[in-house]
Amino acid sequence: LRHRIDHVRRVQIRQADDFMVLDGATIRHLQLLPHGDVAREATLLGVLDVARTPMGSRTMRGWIARPLARSADVNRRLDSVQAFVDDRAALSSIRAALAGVRDLERLVAKVAAARANPRDLKGLAASLRPVPEIAAALAETRAAGAFALKPQPEMVDLVDRAIAEAPPVMLVDGGFIARGYDAELDGVRDDAESGHRWLAGFQAREQARTGIAKPKVKHMPAFGFLIEIPKGSVAQAPEDYVRRQTLTTGERYTTPELKEHERRVLGAQERAVAIEQRLFRELIVRLAERTVEVQETARALGELDATLALADRALAAGYVRPVVDDSDVLDIVDGRHPVIEQLPDAEPFVPNSAHLNTTTDQIILLTGPNMAGKSTYIRQVATIAVMAQMGSFVPAASMRQGVIDRVFTRIGAGDDLARGRSTFLVEMQETANILNNATPKSLIVLDEIGRGTSTFDGISIAWSVAEYLHENPKTKAKTLFATHYHELTDLSEKFPGIRNYT
């Protein structure tokens, strides 16, 4: 079974060049995912993830961390989002149906590993039950062919018949197999239940025989079935009563008849538990045979849930569909930062546009005072680019983007004490990584290059980096370059692809 699962996973792994590359530094700098002291609500994931299921949330996280890098793939996902943006009734009904779906991926993994308990099986059935309804609703939309849902009514029926309505978690005490599922188990249970009815009659007979007002038949784990007599009635105990336990409030006895019945009742209960455990193991084996099908359904539900979440956010936040093609253009009209505009205490966001290509507008050289919004702007452009290629609508009036193979960021200043790296060394190593790996299809975000050293040296480094990116055909990437070095504005007079912005 594990071999089959591993094989399916290998088949589903796509080629590396199918995805935009985002390294850990870029994910942190753009605050795409939670990390360290950055809370979830202050990240792109916190803005976009309104998924109803754990699979949908994991899918959303994966889409953010690994955006698509082929325009056809991006547009297929955008088509699915568009279908639900245009059909709010389907969006609402399917999201409502998904609300009761638990973590199918983890539940079926527990079944496959024989670690599931009875409540896990009930959760598995409850999560698979709405799949036919979801598939039927999905079939009425334009996104019908995008999600390979495979209803499993046989599994749901099997679990419903086999597992009791409110089963215990543990298997040791029984009571988790439903009545009517197995004739042998029902018969043994009947024997045990008839034994309990016999006990009620035995207690009434002993009360009449002995004249004791309140004898009670109880089951004690260490002693078995015992007759408990109050302290004031102990003198009335017959000679065939054998004392087993003394209490402050009375005495407990047994009789040969009671011991014989105890053997029959407890034997029936033990047989019933043994049968239940055998039936449960057989049930796990039968369900595990459908692991691959359930995994495929879980993955499809996760993708559907994430798509519905993107459609929901597009409608709620006023996002528009980007045009994603194979050009060298990155054109954003009236873009907004998706995270900052959603913060509860945020002022109305001032939109900004950006136009980049690899010829006439390759490098935006951005100057301005502290707190003017330089860092926000360059991160905003990169974040919107990531959103477009993950298949999301974007916070802008309009957008066109040629596919980007990688987003590089060099933001912030800080040393790395654990590795013995100074602020300047960290900055230079990250910059060297960009210059060595960027391509004309990349997007580069540079914030304050050269500030880790003296002013004159910093200007020299920043100038040479900008010149290298402009002049080297292999690294002629679209670049956003924020700086306090106003001397760099002279670059626009020497290089036609560099534009000064403030």
Side-chain angles (χ1 to χ4, degrees):
L1 178 61
R2 286 178 181 154
H3 175 74
R4 288 181 62 198
I5 295 171
D6 290 342
H7 172 71
V8 170
R9 285 175 176 165
R10 284 196 299 271
V11 170
Q12 291 159 353
I13 293 175
R14 306 178 65 175
Q15 297 298 319
D17 58 2
D18 287 342
F19 299 99
M20 175 196 289
V21 177
L22 298 174
D23 59 22
T26 297
I27 291 174
R28 290 194 305 275
H29 291 157
L30 298 183
Q31 294 186 200
L32 301 180
L33 301 174
H35 65 274
D37 58 352
V38 177
R40 189 177 188 275
E41 58 268 20
T43 65
L44 183 62
L45 179 67
V47 171
L48 296 182
D49 183 17
V50 291
R52 295 296 180 89
T53 69
M55 299 90 70
S57 293
R58 283 196 295 272
T59 299
M60 182 70 75
R61 176 182 281 268
W63 285 358
I64 292 174
R66 300 187 75 196
L68 300 167
R70 297 187 186 277
S71 59
D73 295 339
V74 175
N75 282 294
R76 273 193 292 270
R77 190 174 290 170
L78 287 170
D79 287 342
S80 297
V81 176
Q82 183 75 62
F84 294 111
V85 168
D86 296 340
D87 191 346
R88 298 192 184 193
L91 172 65
S92 177
S93 64
I94 297 176
R95 276 173 60 81
L98 283 170
V101 177
R102 291 174 52 188
D103 198 335
L104 260 182
E105 290 177 330
R106 294 187 178 179
L107 288 172
V108 75
K110 293 180 72 173
V111 171
R115 293 188 294 105
N117 61 48
R119 292 186 185 176
D120 291 331
L121 299 194
K122 295 298 284 187
L124 181 69
S127 299
L128 289 172
R129 188 171 288 113
V131 174
E133 174 192 349
I134 294 171
L138 188 61
E140 302 298 320
T141 71
R142 297 200 311 271
F147 307 97
L149 292 178
K150 295 182 179 180
Q152 303 290 330
E154 302 87 357
M155 291 184 68
V156 175
D157 178 67
L158 177 60
V159 173
D160 286 344
R161 288 189 297 106
I163 303 298
E165 193 60 36
V169 176
M170 306 301 293
L171 304 182
V172 292
D173 296 326
F176 47 87
I177 297 296
R179 180 171 285 277
Y181 179 69
D182 182 81
E184 179 187 6
L185 175 61
D186 289 345
V188 175
R189 282 175 168 171
D190 288 340
D191 291 342
E193 290 174 4
S194 66
H196 287 291
R197 289 193 296 272
W198 181 91
L199 284 174
F202 173 78
Q203 179 173 302
R205 291 196 305 272
E206 289 303 296
Q207 182 175 353
R209 179 170 77 93
T210 63
I212 298 173
K214 296 180 179 180
K216 295 180 181 179
V217 179
K218 295 184 176 182
H219 180 264
M220 310 303 296
F223 298 97
F225 287 109
L226 298 175
I227 305 170
E228 184 176 312
I229 298 177
K231 195 171 185 178
S233 303
V234 168
Q236 298 175 255
E239 292 183 0
D240 60 339
Y241 276 31
V242 180
R243 182 184 287 108
R244 295 298 306 276
Q245 190 177 17
T246 300
L247 308 174
T248 57
T249 58
E251 302 282 349
R252 286 174 177 168
Y253 301 85
T254 186
T255 69
E257 184 182 14
L258 189 58
K259 290 297 292 182
E260 175 62 24
H261 182 74
E262 175 187 319
R263 188 167 58 253
R264 292 198 305 271
V265 171
L266 295 184
Q269 290 177 338
E270 290 173 359
R271 291 199 306 276
V273 171
I275 293 171
E276 284 195 72
Q277 291 175 347
R278 172 177 58 79
L279 293 173
F280 188 79
R281 290 193 297 269
E282 294 172 354
L283 179 62
I284 288 290
V285 171
R286 291 179 64 183
L287 295 174
E289 293 173 354
R290 309 296 291 273
T291 297
V292 173
E293 290 88 342
V294 177
Q295 282 184 324
E296 292 173 351
T297 297
R299 185 171 52 258
L301 285 173
E303 293 176 353
L304 173 61
D305 193 16
T307 301
L308 294 169
L310 292 179
D312 181 83
R313 293 307 300 148
L315 290 168
Y319 295 169
V320 299
R321 176 172 179 165
V323 175
V324 180
D325 53 29
D326 294 315
S327 67
D328 71 339
V329 171
L330 176 55
D331 192 15
I332 301 172
V333 177
D334 289 342
R336 312 182 306 275
H337 196 293
V339 177
I340 293 177
E341 73 168 356
Q342 295 294 326
L343 295 178
D345 56 348
E347 298 177 3
F349 195 89
V350 178
N352 284 282
S353 301
H355 179 72
L356 288 161
N357 55 48
T358 56
T359 53
T360 59
D361 294 83
Q362 181 204 343
I363 299 176
I364 289 180
L365 192 66
L366 186 63
T367 57
N370 290 326
M371 296 298 294
K374 299 187 301 300
S375 296
T376 297
Y377 172 74
I378 60 178
R379 292 180 186 183
Q380 165 190 311
V381 173
T383 302
I384 292 175
V386 170
M387 290 178 68
Q389 280 190 221
M390 65 172 280
S392 171
F393 284 27
V394 298
S398 66
M399 179 187 185
R400 180 189 176 196
Q401 174 172 317
V403 288
I404 294 168
D405 64 357
R406 185 163 183 170
V407 176
F408 295 93
T409 58
R410 162 84 280 282
I411 295 174
D415 53 21
D416 187 348
L417 294 177
R419 298 182 182 179
R421 300 193 300 166
S422 68
T423 299
F424 181 64
L425 180 56
V426 170
E427 184 179 3
M428 291 301 97
Q429 286 180 335
E430 292 183 359
T431 303
N433 175 58
I434 294 172
L435 299 181
N436 288 324
N437 293 289
T439 74
K441 295 182 69 175
S442 301
L443 176 64
I444 301 174
V445 173
L446 302 174
D447 194 6
E448 305 290 347
I449 285 288
R451 66 177 173 180
T453 186
S454 65
T455 301
F456 182 78
D457 290 347
I459 294 173
S460 302
I461 291 170
W463 183 291
S464 61
V465 167
E467 182 174 339
Y468 182 84
L469 290 172
H470 186 279
E471 295 296 286
N472 189 341
K474 293 183 179 180
T475 58
K476 200 172 180 62
K478 295 180 283 291
T479 303
L480 297 156
F481 198 141
T483 183
H484 277 298
Y485 298 139
H486 288 267
E487 294 85 351
L488 298 183
T489 57
D490 293 341
L491 283 163
S492 63
E493 300 176 3
K494 188 173 182 180
F495 302 105
I498 298 179
R499 293 285 180 265
N500 290 328
Y501 281 64
T502 61

